[in-house]
Amino acid sequence: MSVSELSLDRDPSSRFVPWIVAALSLMCAIALGTAFALASMTADWGRAASDQVTLRVATGDTDIPALVDQVARLEAVSRIEHLPREQVARMLQPWLGDVAQVDTALLPLPALIDVRLKPGADTSELRALIADRSEITLDSADAWLAPLQDLAGLARLVAWVLAAVAVGAIMLVTVFATRSALVNQRQTVDLLRLIGAADGYIAKRFQRHGLRLALFGGIAGTVPGLIVIFFATAAARLQGAALLNGLTPSLAGWLAIAALPLIVALVATFTARVTVLKLLRASW
Amino acid sequence: MQQQGTDGTGEPLVAMRNVGLRYGTGPEVLRDLDLELAEGSFHFLTGRSGAGKSSLLSLLHLSRRPSRGLMRVFGHDMQDMPAREVPVLRRRIGVVFQDFRLLDHLSAQENVALPLKVANSMDSDRIDEIVQELIEWVGLSQQAQARPPTLSGGEKQRVAIARAVISSPRLLLADEPTGNVDQEMGERLMRLFVKLNSLGTTIVIATHDLSLPGRYGYPLLHLEDGRLSNESGGAA
């Protein structure tokens, strides 16, 4: 008695469902991959920016070694380095050309002091120290990074919306396919009800069918999605821009994307069940 | 119109008071039905085409709720019956359809087993055992694995009867069970129904064949324009 009473596998309305679910799963996987990769990248930016600041001291008679000593003694500071004048001059190479040809002594170069803060520490101590010293400026990445983080946040939001739209579309496809299958199988469904089948018994047949179709479609869409995410993020990192170094989903992100077929299958199962029960309960 | 006899509790198996049925917003197809079917009784339901026989059967096998009036089945008021409880009552009613309604992709044996399978109340070995007995009882042992499209009209009818009785229903409804078979097969099927009735099953047979009630002598329910007429036998 293993044969199902409802021949849903031969239902013509289900024929294209796995492929539509596969396309939507691919879109969902890429959107999730983008969201998770952007989340990792911005977290990376935040870590790098929050623990590294630069003190820029204008040319003058400031006692740099004394300043370095003062700063090093602050609770929040883990490491400090006064950048050599030659290194500072090299930073100007894009504008001055080969600095070896230039007498840098004539240039009013500022002294740069690279300060690393302890994890979780903020710059309040440092800002208090230099508050009344107008020749010293504190440069942090926050100022230019904030708009980029806002932009990345917006891109993440768009990616999440796309993923949600894809899941919503999968639910809609399941609803339409289930309704069509129910119409095509109406006589059999009516017979099953007449001989005493509970609505839940009939719904279970449809939800199993929905689960099979969605699981197949989910796998068929997610696997290429994972490959696309892997190569796309790797290609972005290979561009060499330091900003893109963290552009890859975290391990939890990869696992979440890999679990997409199961999520899609559960969504389709639930949707098919609710659709069938709602339609059956409309009639006695 | 009260049919003779009730069950031990004094309550008829089915009772209708002033029952009407309409489809959607259309006119009433059944009107002012007063009917009682006692446990263990046997009735023929007759009437011209369009008189409402199928509609009355659809009320009796709980496919529809009455549009008005009171209807009690196995002691339950149908007006207040929640939809989720109806399947349990339907399992106590066997139905033999005029067009058999067998599932073509299942074997005869699998079709017969369906009511027990959907009731989910016994294991598959026990179901197989009962199905084998029943298939033998209706004389289809050789065709147990055959699919309905390969069976004759009489064989299909016997599969449909086996399916209708496998749950030991208290009420068996048959719509023109002899309409699609030759006279000999019709007699054999009628003997099956009489045998079932002798075992305690209440039986209602809808038929166009007006000679059947005369031959078997059971009470008659005659429908005319949606009303049970005075021709019906056993009237109170």
Side-chain angles (χ1 to χ4, degrees):
Chain A
M1 295 296 158
S2 58
V3 183
S4 174
E5 311 85 346
L6 292 157
S7 46
L8 293 170
D9 291 339
R10 280 174 278 171
D11 191 273
S13 58
S14 314
R15 195 178 307 155
F16 299 108
V17 170
W19 302 111
I20 298 171
V21 172
L24 291 167
S25 299
L26 174 65
M27 176 179 145
C28 189
I30 292 173
L32 287 178
T34 306
F36 290 135
L38 287 171
S40 297
M41 188 175 72
T42 49
D44 210 38
W45 289 350
R47 274 193 300 276
S50 62
D51 67 357
Q52 188 170 2
V53 293
T54 303
L55 289 176
R56 179 162 41 90
V57 187
T59 312
D61 50 6
T62 305
D63 182 352
I64 300 296
L67 176 65
V68 169
D69 191 45
Q70 266 184 308
V71 173
R73 272 184 273 137
L74 294 176
E75 184 66 27
V77 174
S78 69
R79 195 164 63 82
I80 185 165
E81 182 187 7
H82 175 211
L83 298 184
R85 189 175 171 79
E86 295 73 31
Q87 192 177 337
V88 177
R90 273 202 300 278
M91 292 178 189
L92 296 173
Q93 265 190 164
W95 294 274
L96 301 180
D98 185 3
V99 288
Q101 308 292 321
V102 179
D103 184 358
T104 56
L106 296 173
L107 297 172
L109 294 176
L112 296 182
I113 300 167
D114 189 14
V115 180
R116 286 289 167 103
L117 302 174
K118 289 175 180 166
D122 63 24
T123 56
S124 53
E125 268 189 311
L126 201 50
R127 287 184 194 279
L129 182 72
I130 63 170
D132 54 355
R133 300 178 69 173
S134 60
E135 79 280 15
I136 305 174
T137 310
L138 188 147
D139 289 334
S140 85
D142 290 349
W144 60 269
L145 208 49
L148 282 180
Q149 277 179 320
D150 287 348
L151 188 66
L154 184 66
R156 276 170 57 197
L157 180 67
V158 170
W160 276 111
V161 169
L162 278 177
V165 166
V167 172
I170 288 170
M171 290 175 86
L172 276 179
V173 167
T174 308
V175 168
F176 286 125
T178 304
R179 291 179 77 109
S180 301
L182 197 58
V183 168
N184 292 339
Q185 300 282 331
R186 190 74 226 189
Q187 281 191 326
T188 307
V189 168
D190 286 346
L191 173 73
L192 291 176
R193 295 184 92 194
L194 270 179
I195 61 175
D199 292 348
Y201 178 91
I202 295 166
K204 201 177 276 183
R205 268 66 196 155
F206 282 88
Q207 73 192 54
R208 274 186 201 159
H209 180 59
L211 184 142
R212 271 200 305 274
L213 297 181
L215 193 60
F216 176 82
I219 292 170
T222 302
V223 170
L226 285 168
I227 295 169
V228 168
I229 297 161
F230 178 79
F231 283 108
T233 54
R237 290 196 305 275
L238 284 175
Q239 298 299 310
L243 274 177
L244 300 178
N245 276 347
L247 187 66
T248 187
S250 61
L251 178 62
W254 283 114
L255 290 176
I257 300 166
L260 189 59
L262 287 180
I263 295 165
V264 165
L266 287 177
V267 165
T269 303
F270 173 77
T271 307
R273 179 175 180 81
V274 170
T275 305
V276 171
L277 289 180
K278 199 174 165 197
L279 289 171
L280 291 181
R281 283 174 186 163
S283 60
W284 194 40
Chain B
M1 175 158 312
Q2 184 161 344
Q3 301 307 315
Q4 294 159 355
T6 56
D7 65 6
T9 62
E11 177 150 17
L13 213 59
V14 177
M16 292 184 183
R17 292 279 174 273
N18 199 29
V19 161
L21 175 69
R22 66 171 80 240
Y23 297 109
T25 54
E28 279 197 326
V29 292
L30 293 176
R31 285 187 285 274
D32 308 326
L33 298 187
D34 289 317
L35 169 70
E36 287 185 0
L37 298 180
E39 181 113 50
S41 59
F42 194 128
H43 304 269
F44 286 106
L45 174 63
T46 60
R48 285 198 301 268
S49 293
K53 295 194 298 295
S54 297
S55 295
L56 178 53
L57 286 180
S58 74
L59 284 181
L60 290 173
H61 56 60
L62 309 183
S63 290
R64 298 187 174 277
R65 251 188 239 264
S67 308
R68 66 176 171 87
L70 298 174
M71 179 173 162
R72 281 176 72 78
V73 178
F74 308 129
H76 298 272
D77 280 331
M78 289 301 102
Q79 290 75 19
D80 311 324
M81 173 68 58
R84 66 177 180 282
E85 289 175 21
V86 175
V88 178
L89 293 189
R90 286 187 183 135
R91 287 172 204 160
R92 301 188 211 164
I93 302 171
V95 190
V96 181
F97 299 97
Q98 187 176 9
D99 56 356
F100 319 122
R101 295 208 204 169
L102 301 175
L103 301 185
D104 286 349
H105 65 287
L106 301 184
S107 67
Q109 187 175 306
E110 288 164 341
N111 269 287
V112 172
L114 272 180
L116 294 182
K117 194 180 168 192
V118 302
N120 203 21
S121 57
M122 58 180 73
D123 62 60
S124 58
D125 288 345
R126 180 71 188 127
I127 292 177
D128 286 347
E129 224 172 90
I130 297 172
V131 170
Q132 290 307 328
E133 282 174 24
L134 211 48
I135 287 269
E136 275 176 36
W137 185 66
V138 295
L140 286 174
S141 302
Q142 301 300 313
Q143 289 86 4
Q145 297 304 324
R147 297 193 190 280
T150 66
L151 298 175
S152 69
E155 288 168 340
K156 285 180 191 173
Q157 193 66 287
R158 280 183 281 161
V159 174
I161 291 170
R163 184 182 64 189
V165 302
I166 195 166
S167 326
S168 308
R170 291 173 69 187
L171 174 62
L172 180 67
L173 308 168
D175 192 1
E176 301 285 358
T178 58
N180 290 317
V181 294
D182 60 36
Q183 195 177 351
E184 188 191 334
M185 180 55 67
E187 290 297 330
R188 282 180 63 186
L189 294 177
M190 281 307 299
R191 283 199 292 276
L192 270 179
F193 290 124
V194 170
K195 174 77 177 164
L196 284 167
N197 180 242
S198 71
L199 295 172
T201 308
T202 305
I203 293 182
V204 176
I205 292 180
T207 182
H208 274 106
D209 183 357
L210 294 176
S211 69
L212 273 182
R215 287 209 303 276
Y216 288 89
Y218 292 119
L220 185 67
L221 301 169
H222 185 72
L223 273 169
E224 217 168 272
D225 294 331
R227 285 191 169 89
L228 283 168
S229 78
N230 291 330
E231 289 175 40
S232 301

